[in-house]
Amino acid sequence: MRADFLNTALPIAATDVEPISPDSPDRFFNRELSWLSFNWRVMEEALNPRNPLFERVKFLSISGSNLDEFYNVRVAGLQAQIRAGVERRSLDGRTATQQMALINADANRLQTAQQGAWATLKPLLAEQGVHMVGSESLTKEDHEALDDLFFGVIFPILTPMAIDPAHPFPFIPNMGLGLALHMTRLSDGDDLDALLLIPHQVDRFIRLNDRGDDEVRFLPLEDLLEMYLGEVFPGYESRGRCMFRVLRDSDLEVEEEAEDLVREFETALKRRRKGRAIRLKVNADAPDALKQLIADQLEIRRDAMIEVDGVVGIADLGQLLVDDKPDLAWEPYQPRLPERVRDHDGDIFAAIRQKDMLLHHPYESFETVVQFLRQAARDPDVVAIKQTLYRTSKGSPIVKALCEAAEDGKTVTALVELKARFDEAANIQLSRELERAGAQVVFGFTDWKTHAKITMVVRRESGRMVTYSHFGTGNYHPITARTYTDLSMFTCAPAHGQDAARIFNFVTGYAEPAALSAVPIAPIFLKKALIDGLEREIEHAKEGRTAQVWAKMNSLFEGEVIDALYRASQAGVHIDLVVRGICGLRPGIPGLSENIRVKSIVGRFLEHSRIVCFGNGTGLPSERARVYMSSADWMDRNLNRRVETLVEVTNPTVHAQIIDQVMAANLADEAHSWVLQPDGTYARAIGAPDEELFSCHEFFMKYPSLSGRGRSGAADAPRLTRVAQAAE
């Protein structure tokens, strides 16, 4: 299977693939199963020998945490539909009950595969001097050190609990890890069922003292606790134990008409912590009576209790990745700083005035975005700053810059999205920090999330106001910007600045814009702009002109947009899609989608940027193509229930960078690519023996981007497209 979409022609649909009616629900893949397929690809990277050993363990850990979150949110929602008797069917025509049966079956297979991957990785780690040990292999020195740890750190925060009518079963928090015990009193043989919640303040795997032989050893916390049960339950002996982890419904329900949105969210967060238990993981070799006891107390159905033959809580394996084994991880990468900013002695406003500038994170440093805000905060000519904040880091330098600007007397408006899942509490805290500094904080709409990534800096220049705008595909989060691939565009073009101002007026004052010339937004204009772009390509195809679309996103699952893609394929438009995660579109179906290819890239960096390029009658690549970057995936929620941006790129250098570098490298990638098949399976790209497959990540780490180059020019910033190479 070849995954080089850039240099290979679209294949004709396979003759053994059955046609599908454009009206049949079979034209869509199931959303939940498609997500599980993505997590299978993540887990498969744990078995990929091309990856360093620690990175393989990290992929396995991520696949575990991904699966837990999937059950916390998506599966919890389906179960709520079943309890409420909701009859609504998914796009692919399935009821919630039918979906649950398929989800559980596939998730259970995935969980078994995760344990198999760990069984493969564990001895490989041991070969490299990283060991998971049991209590039987501890030395005298180990026991002495563990005595200090247990009595000095762990024992004070343990709460042993009997389980009987006088001691009701305690509340187990979401992701809570516990040890259920069947004990016998030594004095008279009486039985006791007990519970020991494992404190989250202590690492799941205890690193033992080094012995000076370059060996790293870990002891599971549950083994440590079992060693000291005589101290926790004096006079008792353990007859059986059951390690378990609870997953709970973590979705939020907020009253739309809440007068005080912050207080309402604080209440909802408390409800989340006590959400309904939806899944229970237990170790397979535990006594049946203990398993059933826990399931009964948590009101878990038998089919939601999963027996694990291996590590309960595969996500915790990420704790094994120690810094003192750097040879087992990827070599650290140092992001580049744009030369154009250095040419202007660090003056970002001067660099933007020269021409629009595009940063490609993490290959180019997010520090430039931070410095843009810092410079704005300290510039006496800046009069106002407006910014959306969906997710950011703890102690964010972005928030500090906004606070500094507000304290300096500048007009600062921060739109903080309280509904950013799992970041609600952090966003409540940062909103209060901003308000204390004097910033105007707003929370947008109660029924729509504001997911757009926009910053406006208004600066007084020569007696007039100039707006410097930043648009991003990712969050204002310096930490995730080290591993997420995203685009950041800086511009002082009046059209973009005016649209940014209208968008802020919309989210702060509900002043819906009548039109936007450069930045259409969801849920008003964005979906229509995408479908109109596809319809224009259809017209080009009908007129005999070359018609082509390139697009990149995290997820694709919106019925109207998928049907528009099908219509374009039927009209002869060639469409190449890079969709990292969920994809509801079925490619390669005769008469429906034979002109559509879909690939997923899973590798060192998390693909996160959203891009669409319309050939505009000349095919791709082309200087005449219409090129956009976006904060939105092509999902129902993004296009119909969120405030999102679609930013048209008009600067020739930025335009070329997106087409000839970013999209071209993603389309050409084979090292990290999986190609979606008509039946919903993904085939990993394979080459000839000893062939070095092209890696888009390696390309971006090695070569500079076009728009960030300064006086030295862009001669060493290669373009991958044939047209661009021929022109040079």
Side-chain angles (χ1 to χ4, degrees), residues 601-613:
I601 295 177
V602 180
R604 174 172 182 169
F605 300 112
L606 183 80
E607 295 299 328
H608 195 251
S609 51
R610 293 92 165 189
I611 301 167
V612 60
C613 307

Side-chain angles (χ1 to χ4, degrees), residues 372 384-387 454-458 467-470 497 500-501 504:
F372 173 65
I385 303 173
K386 298 183 181 183
Q387 186 173 43
I454 315 173
T455 300
M456 278 179 61
V457 174
V458 182
T467 297
Y468 292 82
S469 305
H470 172 268
F504 274 105

Side-chain angles (χ1 to χ4, degrees), residues 334-354:
Q334 185 63 40
R336 295 182 294 271
L337 293 170
E339 287 185 13
R340 180 138 52 97
V341 176
R342 293 203 300 268
D343 287 348
H344 290 276
D345 299 321
D347 186 342
I348 297 178
F349 295 134
I352 298 170
R353 281 196 299 272
Q354 181 183 347

